[in-house]
Amino acid sequence: MAAPDELFCWEGDWGLPSVSTDSLVVLAYAQFAGAPLKLRKISNPWRSPSGSLPALRTNQKETLSRPSEIIIHLRKQKYNADYDLSAKEGADSLAFISLMEEKLVPALIYTFWIEPKNYVDVTRRWYAEHMPFPLNFFLPGRMQRQQLEKLRLLRGDESLEAGEELEKELYRDAAECMNLLSQRLGSHKFFFGDSPSSLDAYVFGHLAPVLKSKLPNGKLQQHLKSLDNLSNFCTNILLLYFPRDGRGEATDPTDPTDPTRRKQFLSALVALGAMLSYALLSGMVSIQHVQREALEEPPDMQPIGSHDHEEEGDD
């Protein structure tokens, strides 16, 4: 029996199986289609076979990175969530996915990667706390620049910069897109009948992070929450297909008992030790030896008691 394909994706938080839109799209489609993937949730994209996330390594050692490419591959392996769609439903699905790419994706990039308070307090903080040292010092900033370039490409403006007018325009387009999706969904459980399709995976992957993250600037989130059927759609998919993640809540980044905070503290200690060792070996810092006599206490002085300290390790 052939080994299963391996899916590398960003790890989860906020009650989601992954914090990444692209990773969520692929995870949802694989669940809907019943694809038996070997899942590897990581926080270091350099451990991925493509150097980015998500990435699918097939049992033929081929690597695919774009969600559309991964979904096409799974369909070729007979894992097709769109098998029962009619020709018209298939065309409608492609039309709505294109609409999201044009109207919704730019607003999502702006919300998580460009809007200053959201980026600093949520996006950059999450990636910096979950990535290993030293990637957490420079990779979030590089990812932000890549997202800005993607936004400029989608908008067709190489000089595009953040601002109030741009924000209003992007959020207006995104609200229009969400309204159309809400109208198409109506009172149904999924967009086409009783079974989820690729459109359901794309909608869930794009809207679930907006719904579940705790954003300081939550204008887009507020509009999504006003559309009850879309909010319930995301919640139902979490409960049906990701029950372990769907019960979770967003972690508090200030909680000192959070294992992520402990891991970050230990990483800082290791980094400090490495830098001190380097300084000693390179001669930047030297330890002077003094005569023992100079260290002896005067007879009328008593030594100060000392206490041993133990470092707290991982439980």
Side-chain angles (χ1 to χ4, degrees), residues 136-189:
N136 56 347
F137 280 96
F138 65 87
L139 210 49
R142 179 185 296 181
M143 293 168 67
Q144 185 197 36
R145 291 189 293 273
Q146 291 172 343
Q147 291 294 324
L148 178 58
E149 289 303 314
K150 181 179 179 180
L151 179 60
R152 288 171 173 169
L153 181 62
L154 289 171
R155 300 289 295 180
D157 184 355
E158 295 182 358
S159 60
L160 181 144
E161 296 292 342
E164 186 175 345
E165 289 302 317
L166 174 64
E167 179 178 310
K168 287 181 180 179
E169 185 177 348
L170 293 178
Y171 286 175
R172 183 175 63 247
D173 287 347
E176 178 185 338
C177 179
M178 286 191 285
N179 291 341
L180 291 173
L181 289 170
S182 177
Q183 292 171 16
R184 179 62 183 84
L185 179 62
S187 59
H188 301 290
K189 190 174 183 178

Side-chain angles (χ1 to χ4, degrees), residues 44-174:
N44 180 0
W46 288 7
R47 289 176 54 198
S48 157
S50 66
S52 62
L53 296 170
L56 183 76
R57 181 163 60 197
T58 72
N59 54 26
Q60 301 298 318
K61 303 307 178 184
E62 179 185 9
T63 300
L64 306 170
S65 295
R66 297 177 60 186
S68 58
E69 295 174 340
I70 296 174
I71 288 174
I72 290 172
H73 168 79
L74 294 178
R75 286 174 178 164
K76 291 179 180 178
Q77 303 302 310
K78 310 301 182 185
Y79 301 107
N80 188 356
D82 296 339
Y83 182 80
D84 293 328
L85 297 188
S86 66
K88 182 182 183 305
E89 289 172 336
D92 287 347
S93 178
L94 292 176
F96 274 109
I97 291 172
S98 297
L99 178 68
M100 285 191 288
E101 186 71 18
E102 179 185 355
K103 299 288 189 179
L104 183 58
V105 170
L108 295 182
I109 293 175
Y110 189 91
T111 296
F112 285 97
W113 292 97
I114 310 301
E115 202 286 327
K117 196 160 184 61
N118 288 349
Y119 172 68
V120 171
D121 292 351
V122 177
T123 307
R124 187 179 68 182
R125 169 176 282 182
W126 190 92
Y127 284 100
E129 290 183 351
H130 287 76
M131 285 179 178
F133 174 86
L135 299 185
N136 56 347
F137 280 96
F138 65 87
L139 210 49
R142 179 185 296 181
M143 293 168 67
Q144 185 197 36
R145 291 189 293 273
Q146 291 172 343
Q147 291 294 324
L148 178 58
E149 289 303 314
K150 181 179 179 180
L151 179 60
R152 288 171 173 169
L153 181 62
L154 289 171
R155 300 289 295 180
D157 184 355
E158 295 182 358
S159 60
L160 181 144
E161 296 292 342
E164 186 175 345
E165 289 302 317
L166 174 64
E167 179 178 310
K168 287 181 180 179
E169 185 177 348
L170 293 178
Y171 286 175
R172 183 175 63 247
D173 287 347

Side-chain angles (χ1 to χ4, degrees), residues 8 25 30 37 66 79 88 107 110 200 257 280 287 289-290:
F8 297 77
V25 169
L37 301 178
R66 297 177 60 186
Y79 301 107
K88 182 182 183 305
Y110 189 91
D200 297 276
T257 65
L280 289 171
I287 300 177
H289 297 276
V290 296

